[in-house]
Amino acid sequence: MTGYRTPARLFHWIVALLVLATIPAGQIMIQDGLSRSVQNALFIFHKNVGVVILLVVLARLAYRQVVPPPPLPLSVPEWQRRVAGLTHAALYGLLIFMAVTGYLRVRAGGFPIEALDALGLPTFVPRSEALEAWAKAAHWWGRIALVAVIALHVAAAAWHGLVRRDGVMARIWPPVAR
Ligand code: HEM
Ligand code: HEM
């Protein structure tokens, strides 16, 4: 059975690693009692890696248009194919939503995004307290949805890989196709 090709696998694992680091960084950096230097480092990491995630996700979606995912094994029933498709669409959508609301929240608040500023890119968003407050709330709620969908996705992957052993995990792991 064939799996995803190497570029799709690398996209998947790069995004997975970055997202699984960005979520706890975001969560920790807003806690009280952190030293200023740790908090600053986490903010810089979180904001700039968030932008990288957006770029990699967009590149991955473009690649997916050119090289569509391989068909699932015939043993996977129709309803599970539908749930998998919806889950993957939700993951892509939520990652874009998180990156865009994060960007809006920071820019509307007048804060830096160090890598973009170093490249001399302009801010596309006016200063606005209302937009900042909206984007902050959207980012907060979005992460709850994202964490829930990731949990479902990882549970399904573990079930395929450890219980069913039906080859679904081998479609994306290892990161380089054999
Ligand atoms: C330990 C963590 C993870 C495991 C074991 C895992 C496993 C898998 C597997 C087995 C597939 C292939 C499903 C299929 O063949 O239809 C897949 C696809 C996918 N995964 Fe993950 N994943 C993990 C983490 C993540 C994370 C953190 C994200 C994003 C937040 C993510 C996003 C996706 C997406 C969007 C697809 C669909 C790929 C496509 O068809 O375009 N995964 N994952
Ligand atoms: C896919 C990418 C991203 C994920 C998964 C993510 C996730 C999170 C999480 C879990 C939190 C902590 C809870 C919260 O207050 O919402 C957070 C907070 C935050 N994120 Fe993100 N984020 C992403 C992208 C970005 C980007 C691109 C920026 C800015 C350029 C950003 C800026 C912020 C800021 C400023 C906070 C603190 C919110 C506050 O003031 O309470 N994030 N993020």
PDB file of all heavy atoms in Angstrom, residues 4 12-13 15-17 19-20 60 64 69 72 84 88 91-92 95 146 150 153-154 157-158 168-172, ligand 1:
ATOM      1  N   TYR A   4       1.731   8.701   1.893  1.00  0.00           N
ATOM      2  CA  TYR A   4       2.036  10.055   1.439  1.00  0.00           C
ATOM      3  C   TYR A   4       3.476  10.082   0.941  1.00  0.00           C
ATOM      4  O   TYR A   4       4.333   9.324   1.413  1.00  0.00           O
ATOM      5  CB  TYR A   4       1.898  11.046   2.588  1.00  0.00           C
ATOM      6  CG  TYR A   4       0.466  11.341   2.986  1.00  0.00           C
ATOM      7  CD1 TYR A   4      -0.194  10.575   3.929  1.00  0.00           C
ATOM      8  CD2 TYR A   4      -0.215  12.415   2.424  1.00  0.00           C
ATOM      9  CE1 TYR A   4      -1.505  10.856   4.309  1.00  0.00           C
ATOM     10  CE2 TYR A   4      -1.523  12.712   2.796  1.00  0.00           C
ATOM     11  CZ  TYR A   4      -2.159  11.923   3.733  1.00  0.00           C
ATOM     12  OH  TYR A   4      -3.447  12.204   4.094  1.00  0.00           O
ATOM     13  N   HIS A  12       3.897  17.486   7.240  1.00  0.00           N
ATOM     14  CA  HIS A  12       3.101  17.056   8.388  1.00  0.00           C
ATOM     15  C   HIS A  12       3.892  17.116   9.685  1.00  0.00           C
ATOM     16  O   HIS A  12       3.445  17.676  10.678  1.00  0.00           O
ATOM     17  CB  HIS A  12       2.576  15.638   8.187  1.00  0.00           C
ATOM     18  CG  HIS A  12       1.813  15.114   9.369  1.00  0.00           C
ATOM     19  ND1 HIS A  12       2.416  14.430  10.394  1.00  0.00           N
ATOM     20  CD2 HIS A  12       0.511  15.239   9.728  1.00  0.00           C
ATOM     21  CE1 HIS A  12       1.500  14.130  11.308  1.00  0.00           C
ATOM     22  NE2 HIS A  12       0.342  14.597  10.942  1.00  0.00           N
ATOM     23  N   TRP A  13       5.112  16.554   9.667  1.00  0.00           N
ATOM     24  CA  TRP A  13       5.849  16.446  10.934  1.00  0.00           C
ATOM     25  C   TRP A  13       6.472  17.766  11.359  1.00  0.00           C
ATOM     26  O   TRP A  13       6.600  18.031  12.554  1.00  0.00           O
ATOM     27  CB  TRP A  13       6.844  15.289  10.881  1.00  0.00           C
ATOM     28  CG  TRP A  13       6.084  14.000  10.870  1.00  0.00           C
ATOM     29  CD1 TRP A  13       5.937  13.135   9.812  1.00  0.00           C
ATOM     30  CD2 TRP A  13       5.282  13.450  11.938  1.00  0.00           C
ATOM     31  NE1 TRP A  13       5.093  12.099  10.155  1.00  0.00           N
ATOM     32  CE2 TRP A  13       4.682  12.262  11.448  1.00  0.00           C
ATOM     33  CE3 TRP A  13       4.992  13.860  13.235  1.00  0.00           C
ATOM     34  CZ2 TRP A  13       3.832  11.477  12.230  1.00  0.00           C
ATOM     35  CZ3 TRP A  13       4.150  13.082  14.012  1.00  0.00           C
ATOM     36  CH2 TRP A  13       3.583  11.912  13.511  1.00  0.00           C
ATOM     37  N   VAL A  15       4.989  20.721  10.814  1.00  0.00           N
ATOM     38  CA  VAL A  15       3.856  21.454  11.404  1.00  0.00           C
ATOM     39  C   VAL A  15       3.496  20.861  12.767  1.00  0.00           C
ATOM     40  O   VAL A  15       3.266  21.588  13.738  1.00  0.00           O
ATOM     41  CB  VAL A  15       2.639  21.462  10.452  1.00  0.00           C
ATOM     42  CG1 VAL A  15       1.402  22.021  11.158  1.00  0.00           C
ATOM     43  CG2 VAL A  15       2.936  22.296   9.219  1.00  0.00           C
ATOM     44  N   ALA A  16       3.462  19.524  12.856  1.00  0.00           N
ATOM     45  CA  ALA A  16       3.086  18.886  14.126  1.00  0.00           C
ATOM     46  C   ALA A  16       4.049  19.326  15.242  1.00  0.00           C
ATOM     47  O   ALA A  16       3.617  19.743  16.321  1.00  0.00           O
ATOM     48  CB  ALA A  16       3.082  17.369  13.980  1.00  0.00           C
ATOM     49  N   LEU A  17       5.365  19.258  14.951  1.00  0.00           N
ATOM     50  CA  LEU A  17       6.361  19.646  15.969  1.00  0.00           C
ATOM     51  C   LEU A  17       6.192  21.110  16.377  1.00  0.00           C
ATOM     52  O   LEU A  17       6.194  21.444  17.572  1.00  0.00           O
ATOM     53  CB  LEU A  17       7.776  19.465  15.420  1.00  0.00           C
ATOM     54  CG  LEU A  17       8.427  18.097  15.584  1.00  0.00           C
ATOM     55  CD1 LEU A  17       9.830  18.130  14.990  1.00  0.00           C
ATOM     56  CD2 LEU A  17       8.497  17.748  17.077  1.00  0.00           C
ATOM     57  N   VAL A  19       3.571  23.088  16.079  1.00  0.00           N
ATOM     58  CA  VAL A  19       2.314  23.359  16.783  1.00  0.00           C
ATOM     59  C   VAL A  19       2.378  22.819  18.213  1.00  0.00           C
ATOM     60  O   VAL A  19       1.956  23.487  19.157  1.00  0.00           O
ATOM     61  CB  VAL A  19       1.121  22.742  16.019  1.00  0.00           C
ATOM     62  CG1 VAL A  19      -0.154  22.789  16.850  1.00  0.00           C
ATOM     63  CG2 VAL A  19       0.910  23.474  14.705  1.00  0.00           C
ATOM     64  N   LEU A  20       2.954  21.626  18.368  1.00  0.00           N
ATOM     65  CA  LEU A  20       3.005  21.033  19.711  1.00  0.00           C
ATOM     66  C   LEU A  20       3.981  21.799  20.615  1.00  0.00           C
ATOM     67  O   LEU A  20       3.952  21.647  21.830  1.00  0.00           O
ATOM     68  CB  LEU A  20       3.359  19.549  19.633  1.00  0.00           C
ATOM     69  CG  LEU A  20       2.262  18.687  18.955  1.00  0.00           C
ATOM     70  CD1 LEU A  20       2.684  17.235  18.861  1.00  0.00           C
ATOM     71  CD2 LEU A  20       0.927  18.804  19.677  1.00  0.00           C
ATOM     72  N   ARG A  60       1.817  23.764   2.270  1.00  0.00           N
ATOM     73  CA  ARG A  60       1.368  22.383   2.295  1.00  0.00           C
ATOM     74  C   ARG A  60       0.037  22.220   1.562  1.00  0.00           C
ATOM     75  O   ARG A  60      -0.179  21.247   0.839  1.00  0.00           O
ATOM     76  CB  ARG A  60       1.225  21.980   3.757  1.00  0.00           C
ATOM     77  CG  ARG A  60       0.865  20.566   3.961  1.00  0.00           C
ATOM     78  CD  ARG A  60       0.890  20.288   5.434  1.00  0.00           C
ATOM     79  NE  ARG A  60       0.328  18.994   5.703  1.00  0.00           N
ATOM     80  CZ  ARG A  60      -0.030  18.581   6.903  1.00  0.00           C
ATOM     81  NH1 ARG A  60       0.139  19.384   7.928  1.00  0.00           N
ATOM     82  NH2 ARG A  60      -0.529  17.390   7.072  1.00  0.00           N
ATOM     83  N   ARG A  64      -0.736  20.045  -1.732  1.00  0.00           N
ATOM     84  CA  ARG A  64      -1.826  19.062  -1.703  1.00  0.00           C
ATOM     85  C   ARG A  64      -2.730  19.176  -2.937  1.00  0.00           C
ATOM     86  O   ARG A  64      -3.339  18.195  -3.362  1.00  0.00           O
ATOM     87  CB  ARG A  64      -2.634  19.325  -0.440  1.00  0.00           C
ATOM     88  CG  ARG A  64      -3.509  18.204   0.020  1.00  0.00           C
ATOM     89  CD  ARG A  64      -4.218  18.666   1.284  1.00  0.00           C
ATOM     90  NE  ARG A  64      -4.803  17.568   2.028  1.00  0.00           N
ATOM     91  CZ  ARG A  64      -5.984  17.075   1.751  1.00  0.00           C
ATOM     92  NH1 ARG A  64      -6.680  17.536   0.744  1.00  0.00           N
ATOM     93  NH2 ARG A  64      -6.460  16.075   2.491  1.00  0.00           N
ATOM     94  N   PRO A  69      -3.776  13.533  -1.594  1.00  0.00           N
ATOM     95  CA  PRO A  69      -3.449  12.431  -0.678  1.00  0.00           C
ATOM     96  C   PRO A  69      -3.754  11.083  -1.318  1.00  0.00           C
ATOM     97  O   PRO A  69      -4.681  10.982  -2.115  1.00  0.00           O
ATOM     98  CB  PRO A  69      -4.391  12.656   0.509  1.00  0.00           C
ATOM     99  CG  PRO A  69      -4.888  14.043   0.384  1.00  0.00           C
ATOM    100  CD  PRO A  69      -4.787  14.436  -1.045  1.00  0.00           C
ATOM    101  N   LEU A  72      -7.178   5.926   1.102  1.00  0.00           N
ATOM    102  CA  LEU A  72      -7.072   5.158   2.351  1.00  0.00           C
ATOM    103  C   LEU A  72      -7.224   3.671   2.063  1.00  0.00           C
ATOM    104  O   LEU A  72      -7.806   3.289   1.044  1.00  0.00           O
ATOM    105  CB  LEU A  72      -8.159   5.612   3.332  1.00  0.00           C
ATOM    106  CG  LEU A  72      -7.858   6.886   4.115  1.00  0.00           C
ATOM    107  CD1 LEU A  72      -9.141   7.482   4.692  1.00  0.00           C
ATOM    108  CD2 LEU A  72      -6.861   6.611   5.232  1.00  0.00           C
ATOM    109  N   ALA A  84     -12.366  11.507   9.130  1.00  0.00           N
ATOM    110  CA  ALA A  84     -10.954  11.864   8.918  1.00  0.00           C
ATOM    111  C   ALA A  84     -10.854  13.105   8.034  1.00  0.00           C
ATOM    112  O   ALA A  84     -10.087  14.034   8.331  1.00  0.00           O
ATOM    113  CB  ALA A  84     -10.205  10.690   8.280  1.00  0.00           C
ATOM    114  N   HIS A  88      -9.226  16.618   9.251  1.00  0.00           N
ATOM    115  CA  HIS A  88      -8.066  17.234   8.594  1.00  0.00           C
ATOM    116  C   HIS A  88      -8.403  18.650   8.126  1.00  0.00           C
ATOM    117  O   HIS A  88      -7.590  19.569   8.285  1.00  0.00           O
ATOM    118  CB  HIS A  88      -7.593  16.373   7.424  1.00  0.00           C
ATOM    119  CG  HIS A  88      -7.097  15.025   7.861  1.00  0.00           C
ATOM    120  ND1 HIS A  88      -6.998  13.937   7.016  1.00  0.00           N
ATOM    121  CD2 HIS A  88      -6.693  14.580   9.072  1.00  0.00           C
ATOM    122  CE1 HIS A  88      -6.550  12.891   7.698  1.00  0.00           C
ATOM    123  NE2 HIS A  88      -6.354  13.264   8.945  1.00  0.00           N
ATOM    124  N   LEU A  91      -8.313  20.852  11.119  1.00  0.00           N
ATOM    125  CA  LEU A  91      -6.943  21.150  11.557  1.00  0.00           C
ATOM    126  C   LEU A  91      -6.339  22.257  10.691  1.00  0.00           C
ATOM    127  O   LEU A  91      -5.772  23.224  11.222  1.00  0.00           O
ATOM    128  CB  LEU A  91      -6.078  19.888  11.492  1.00  0.00           C
ATOM    129  CG  LEU A  91      -6.347  18.849  12.588  1.00  0.00           C
ATOM    130  CD1 LEU A  91      -5.636  17.535  12.268  1.00  0.00           C
ATOM    131  CD2 LEU A  91      -5.909  19.360  13.954  1.00  0.00           C
ATOM    132  N   TYR A  92      -6.481  22.131   9.370  1.00  0.00           N
ATOM    133  CA  TYR A  92      -5.957  23.188   8.487  1.00  0.00           C
ATOM    134  C   TYR A  92      -6.631  24.517   8.806  1.00  0.00           C
ATOM    135  O   TYR A  92      -5.971  25.545   8.956  1.00  0.00           O
ATOM    136  CB  TYR A  92      -6.201  22.830   7.014  1.00  0.00           C
ATOM    137  CG  TYR A  92      -5.263  21.776   6.462  1.00  0.00           C
ATOM    138  CD1 TYR A  92      -5.753  20.614   5.870  1.00  0.00           C
ATOM    139  CD2 TYR A  92      -3.892  21.957   6.501  1.00  0.00           C
ATOM    140  CE1 TYR A  92      -4.896  19.649   5.351  1.00  0.00           C
ATOM    141  CE2 TYR A  92      -3.028  21.005   5.986  1.00  0.00           C
ATOM    142  CZ  TYR A  92      -3.541  19.844   5.403  1.00  0.00           C
ATOM    143  OH  TYR A  92      -2.688  18.904   4.896  1.00  0.00           O
ATOM    144  N   LEU A  95      -5.600  26.040  12.215  1.00  0.00           N
ATOM    145  CA  LEU A  95      -4.228  26.570  12.239  1.00  0.00           C
ATOM    146  C   LEU A  95      -4.185  27.938  11.570  1.00  0.00           C
ATOM    147  O   LEU A  95      -3.538  28.871  12.074  1.00  0.00           O
ATOM    148  CB  LEU A  95      -3.260  25.605  11.547  1.00  0.00           C
ATOM    149  CG  LEU A  95      -2.970  24.303  12.304  1.00  0.00           C
ATOM    150  CD1 LEU A  95      -1.992  23.439  11.512  1.00  0.00           C
ATOM    151  CD2 LEU A  95      -2.397  24.591  13.692  1.00  0.00           C
ATOM    152  N   LEU A 146      -8.782  23.869  18.752  1.00  0.00           N
ATOM    153  CA  LEU A 146      -7.604  23.234  18.142  1.00  0.00           C
ATOM    154  C   LEU A 146      -7.095  22.081  19.007  1.00  0.00           C
ATOM    155  O   LEU A 146      -6.818  20.984  18.493  1.00  0.00           O
ATOM    156  CB  LEU A 146      -6.498  24.276  17.929  1.00  0.00           C
ATOM    157  CG  LEU A 146      -5.203  23.750  17.309  1.00  0.00           C
ATOM    158  CD1 LEU A 146      -5.454  23.201  15.899  1.00  0.00           C
ATOM    159  CD2 LEU A 146      -4.130  24.834  17.243  1.00  0.00           C
ATOM    160  N   ILE A 150      -6.918  18.208  17.820  1.00  0.00           N
ATOM    161  CA  ILE A 150      -5.628  17.500  17.818  1.00  0.00           C
ATOM    162  C   ILE A 150      -5.743  16.230  18.671  1.00  0.00           C
ATOM    163  O   ILE A 150      -5.248  15.156  18.282  1.00  0.00           O
ATOM    164  CB  ILE A 150      -4.483  18.399  18.329  1.00  0.00           C
ATOM    165  CG1 ILE A 150      -4.188  19.513  17.320  1.00  0.00           C
ATOM    166  CG2 ILE A 150      -3.210  17.570  18.570  1.00  0.00           C
ATOM    167  CD1 ILE A 150      -3.109  20.493  17.770  1.00  0.00           C
ATOM    168  N   HIS A 153      -7.476  13.638  16.697  1.00  0.00           N
ATOM    169  CA  HIS A 153      -6.601  13.198  15.611  1.00  0.00           C
ATOM    170  C   HIS A 153      -5.513  12.243  16.118  1.00  0.00           C
ATOM    171  O   HIS A 153      -5.282  11.182  15.526  1.00  0.00           O
ATOM    172  CB  HIS A 153      -5.969  14.453  14.989  1.00  0.00           C
ATOM    173  CG  HIS A 153      -4.978  14.206  13.896  1.00  0.00           C
ATOM    174  ND1 HIS A 153      -5.341  13.715  12.666  1.00  0.00           N
ATOM    175  CD2 HIS A 153      -3.633  14.380  13.846  1.00  0.00           C
ATOM    176  CE1 HIS A 153      -4.257  13.606  11.905  1.00  0.00           C
ATOM    177  NE2 HIS A 153      -3.203  14.008  12.595  1.00  0.00           N
ATOM    178  N   VAL A 154      -4.873  12.609  17.229  1.00  0.00           N
ATOM    179  CA  VAL A 154      -3.788  11.773  17.751  1.00  0.00           C
ATOM    180  C   VAL A 154      -4.364  10.453  18.304  1.00  0.00           C
ATOM    181  O   VAL A 154      -3.771   9.381  18.124  1.00  0.00           O
ATOM    182  CB  VAL A 154      -2.968  12.532  18.821  1.00  0.00           C
ATOM    183  CG1 VAL A 154      -1.933  11.625  19.469  1.00  0.00           C
ATOM    184  CG2 VAL A 154      -2.271  13.739  18.193  1.00  0.00           C
ATOM    185  N   ALA A 157      -5.001   8.293  15.346  1.00  0.00           N
ATOM    186  CA  ALA A 157      -3.730   7.779  14.812  1.00  0.00           C
ATOM    187  C   ALA A 157      -3.207   6.640  15.697  1.00  0.00           C
ATOM    188  O   ALA A 157      -2.736   5.612  15.193  1.00  0.00           O
ATOM    189  CB  ALA A 157      -2.699   8.910  14.730  1.00  0.00           C
ATOM    190  N   ALA A 158      -3.321   6.806  17.038  1.00  0.00           N
ATOM    191  CA  ALA A 158      -2.847   5.764  17.960  1.00  0.00           C
ATOM    192  C   ALA A 158      -3.683   4.494  17.799  1.00  0.00           C
ATOM    193  O   ALA A 158      -3.148   3.374  17.805  1.00  0.00           O
ATOM    194  CB  ALA A 158      -2.931   6.273  19.406  1.00  0.00           C
ATOM    195  N   VAL A 168      -2.466   2.656   8.316  1.00  0.00           N
ATOM    196  CA  VAL A 168      -2.758   4.093   8.200  1.00  0.00           C
ATOM    197  C   VAL A 168      -1.594   4.924   8.750  1.00  0.00           C
ATOM    198  O   VAL A 168      -1.183   5.924   8.165  1.00  0.00           O
ATOM    199  CB  VAL A 168      -4.087   4.450   8.911  1.00  0.00           C
ATOM    200  CG1 VAL A 168      -4.252   5.962   9.033  1.00  0.00           C
ATOM    201  CG2 VAL A 168      -5.262   3.872   8.137  1.00  0.00           C
ATOM    202  N   MET A 169      -1.017   4.466   9.886  1.00  0.00           N
ATOM    203  CA  MET A 169       0.111   5.208  10.474  1.00  0.00           C
ATOM    204  C   MET A 169       1.311   5.211   9.515  1.00  0.00           C
ATOM    205  O   MET A 169       2.031   6.220   9.421  1.00  0.00           O
ATOM    206  CB  MET A 169       0.473   4.553  11.816  1.00  0.00           C
ATOM    207  CG  MET A 169       1.380   5.364  12.681  1.00  0.00           C
ATOM    208  SD  MET A 169       0.614   6.913  13.198  1.00  0.00           S
ATOM    209  CE  MET A 169       2.083   7.863  13.495  1.00  0.00           C
ATOM    210  N   ALA A 170       1.510   4.089   8.818  1.00  0.00           N
ATOM    211  CA  ALA A 170       2.657   3.995   7.902  1.00  0.00           C
ATOM    212  C   ALA A 170       2.494   4.901   6.687  1.00  0.00           C
ATOM    213  O   ALA A 170       3.434   5.074   5.911  1.00  0.00           O
ATOM    214  CB  ALA A 170       2.840   2.544   7.437  1.00  0.00           C
ATOM    215  N   ARG A 171       1.280   5.496   6.510  1.00  0.00           N
ATOM    216  CA  ARG A 171       1.098   6.427   5.399  1.00  0.00           C
ATOM    217  C   ARG A 171       1.867   7.725   5.631  1.00  0.00           C
ATOM    218  O   ARG A 171       2.225   8.419   4.679  1.00  0.00           O
ATOM    219  CB  ARG A 171      -0.398   6.770   5.250  1.00  0.00           C
ATOM    220  CG  ARG A 171      -1.203   5.646   4.672  1.00  0.00           C
ATOM    221  CD  ARG A 171      -2.657   5.754   5.057  1.00  0.00           C
ATOM    222  NE  ARG A 171      -3.302   7.003   4.661  1.00  0.00           N
ATOM    223  CZ  ARG A 171      -3.727   7.267   3.436  1.00  0.00           C
ATOM    224  NH1 ARG A 171      -3.568   6.371   2.484  1.00  0.00           N
ATOM    225  NH2 ARG A 171      -4.314   8.397   3.163  1.00  0.00           N
ATOM    226  N   ILE A 172       2.096   8.074   6.919  1.00  0.00           N
ATOM    227  CA  ILE A 172       2.708   9.380   7.214  1.00  0.00           C
ATOM    228  C   ILE A 172       4.016   9.217   8.006  1.00  0.00           C
ATOM    229  O   ILE A 172       4.817  10.136   8.104  1.00  0.00           O
ATOM    230  CB  ILE A 172       1.705  10.270   7.974  1.00  0.00           C
ATOM    231  CG1 ILE A 172       2.010  11.752   7.825  1.00  0.00           C
ATOM    232  CG2 ILE A 172       1.618   9.916   9.456  1.00  0.00           C
ATOM    233  CD1 ILE A 172       1.109  12.450   6.880  1.00  0.00           C
TER     234      ILE A 172
HETATM  235  C1  HEM B   1       1.859  12.653  17.525  1.00  0.00           C
HETATM  236  C2  HEM B   1       1.131  13.378  16.752  1.00  0.00           C
HETATM  237  C3  HEM B   1       0.500  12.971  15.428  1.00  0.00           C
HETATM  238  C4  HEM B   1       0.314  11.756  14.819  1.00  0.00           C
HETATM  239  C5  HEM B   1       0.690  10.377  15.350  1.00  0.00           C
HETATM  240  C6  HEM B   1      -0.330  11.995  13.536  1.00  0.00           C
HETATM  241  C7  HEM B   1      -0.688  11.043  12.595  1.00  0.00           C
HETATM  242  C8  HEM B   1      -1.250  11.272  11.371  1.00  0.00           C
HETATM  243  C9  HEM B   1      -1.586  10.257  10.387  1.00  0.00           C
HETATM  244  C10 HEM B   1      -1.390   8.751  10.574  1.00  0.00           C
HETATM  245  C11 HEM B   1      -2.097  10.885   9.301  1.00  0.00           C
HETATM  246  C12 HEM B   1      -2.540  10.228   7.994  1.00  0.00           C
HETATM  247  C13 HEM B   1      -4.036  10.062   7.979  1.00  0.00           C
HETATM  248  C14 HEM B   1      -4.498   9.478   6.671  1.00  0.00           C
HETATM  249  O1  HEM B   1      -3.789   8.686   6.089  1.00  0.00           O
HETATM  250  O2  HEM B   1      -5.596   9.852   6.219  1.00  0.00           O
HETATM  251  C15 HEM B   1      -2.111  12.305   9.578  1.00  0.00           C
HETATM  252  C16 HEM B   1      -2.581  13.283   8.716  1.00  0.00           C
HETATM  253  C17 HEM B   1      -2.725  14.610   9.053  1.00  0.00           C
HETATM  254  N1  HEM B   1      -2.295  15.214  10.238  1.00  0.00           N
HETATM  255 FE1  HEM B   1      -1.426  14.287  11.816  1.00  0.00          FE
HETATM  256  N2  HEM B   1      -0.535  13.362  13.411  1.00  0.00           N
HETATM  257  C18 HEM B   1      -0.044  13.971  14.550  1.00  0.00           C
HETATM  258  C19 HEM B   1      -0.045  15.317  14.844  1.00  0.00           C
HETATM  259  C20 HEM B   1      -0.652  16.281  14.049  1.00  0.00           C
HETATM  260  C21 HEM B   1      -0.758  17.685  14.402  1.00  0.00           C
HETATM  261  C22 HEM B   1      -0.230  18.324  15.704  1.00  0.00           C
HETATM  262  C23 HEM B   1      -1.405  18.288  13.362  1.00  0.00           C
HETATM  263  C24 HEM B   1      -1.779  19.730  13.209  1.00  0.00           C
HETATM  264  C25 HEM B   1      -2.153  20.488  14.166  1.00  0.00           C
HETATM  265  C26 HEM B   1      -1.707  17.274  12.356  1.00  0.00           C
HETATM  266  C27 HEM B   1      -2.362  17.505  11.158  1.00  0.00           C
HETATM  267  C28 HEM B   1      -2.625  16.564  10.187  1.00  0.00           C
HETATM  268  C29 HEM B   1      -3.301  16.832   8.944  1.00  0.00           C
HETATM  269  C30 HEM B   1      -3.842  18.204   8.500  1.00  0.00           C
HETATM  270  C31 HEM B   1      -3.360  15.630   8.221  1.00  0.00           C
HETATM  271  C32 HEM B   1      -3.975  15.413   6.845  1.00  0.00           C
HETATM  272  C33 HEM B   1      -2.903  15.430   5.800  1.00  0.00           C
HETATM  273  C34 HEM B   1      -3.517  15.633   4.434  1.00  0.00           C
HETATM  274  O3  HEM B   1      -4.148  14.716   3.902  1.00  0.00           O
HETATM  275  O4  HEM B   1      -3.369  16.739   3.903  1.00  0.00           O
HETATM  276  N3  HEM B   1      -1.233  16.060  12.806  1.00  0.00           N
HETATM  277  N4  HEM B   1      -1.591  12.520  10.844  1.00  0.00           N
END
